[in-house]
Amino acid sequence: MERNVIAKNTKIKGEIISEGDYRIDGLLEGDLTTKGRVIIGSGGVVNGNINAHNTDIEGTFSGTLSVENILTIKTSANISGEVIVGKLSVEPGATFNASCTMKVAPKVLNIENGKKTAENSKDQQREKKAFK
């Protein structure tokens, strides 16, 4: 994948659609959709919507953020709006003023002759032990 940079002192208004990774150290007012990773640097500001596979935020984000896999929010980050993630990591000191929804991958149950397969039973036993 290609790396794209919105450098410090750069301001972009509009919609970006890409397959590559993005690092934002400037200002983006608009939407960014990518199958890659988005990094908002400590001086970066995004006002709009982001749809990405993974995202790391050190700067400021305001809008709707949809992250398929992992969202990492660093200490210096300031987030507001709506967040939809697969997994979330927030460092102490970060400002997180957003509604957050976590997507859960659906489990596939294999049922043979009215009984769960041994594989699923083992998974359930592991889950029960983890919660004890």
Side-chain angles (χ1 to χ4, degrees):
M1 289 193 185
E2 294 182 24
R3 285 205 161 174
N4 301 283
V5 177
I6 298 174
K8 186 177 179 181
N9 298 320
T10 300
K11 180 178 180 180
I12 294 179
K13 287 185 178 184
E15 181 179 16
I16 299 171
I17 300 172
S18 177
E19 303 248 340
D21 296 343
Y22 270 84
R23 179 172 178 97
I24 301 167
D25 290 312
L27 171 65
L28 172 61
E29 290 184 358
D31 301 339
L32 171 59
T33 301
T34 181
K35 293 181 181 177
R37 170 183 229 100
V38 174
I39 298 170
I40 300 174
S42 59
V45 177
V46 176
N47 295 315
N49 303 315
I50 292 179
N51 291 300
H53 188 70
N54 290 301
T55 303
D56 296 343
I57 300 178
E58 295 177 58
T60 303
F61 176 84
S62 178
T64 300
L65 178 60
S66 180
V67 180
E68 188 68 29
N69 197 16
I70 300 173
L71 169 61
T72 303
I73 301 173
K74 305 290 187 177
T75 301
S76 58
N78 187 338
I79 311 288
S80 62
E82 180 181 0
V83 175
I84 303 163
V85 296
K87 295 177 184 175
L88 177 64
S89 172
V90 182
E91 291 183 357
T95 302
F96 187 79
N97 293 317
S99 64
C100 183
T101 304
M102 295 189 77
K103 294 187 245 177
V104 178
K107 286 190 177 183
V108 178
L109 296 177
N110 295 324
I111 299 176
E112 295 176 11
N113 299 327
K115 295 183 179 180
K116 294 178 185 174
T117 63
E119 183 179 317
N120 288 324
S121 297
K122 288 179 185 176
D123 288 343
Q124 287 181 342
Q125 288 173 357
R126 277 188 235 126
E127 287 177 7
K128 286 180 184 176
K129 288 180 183 177
F131 286 110
K132 287 184 179 179

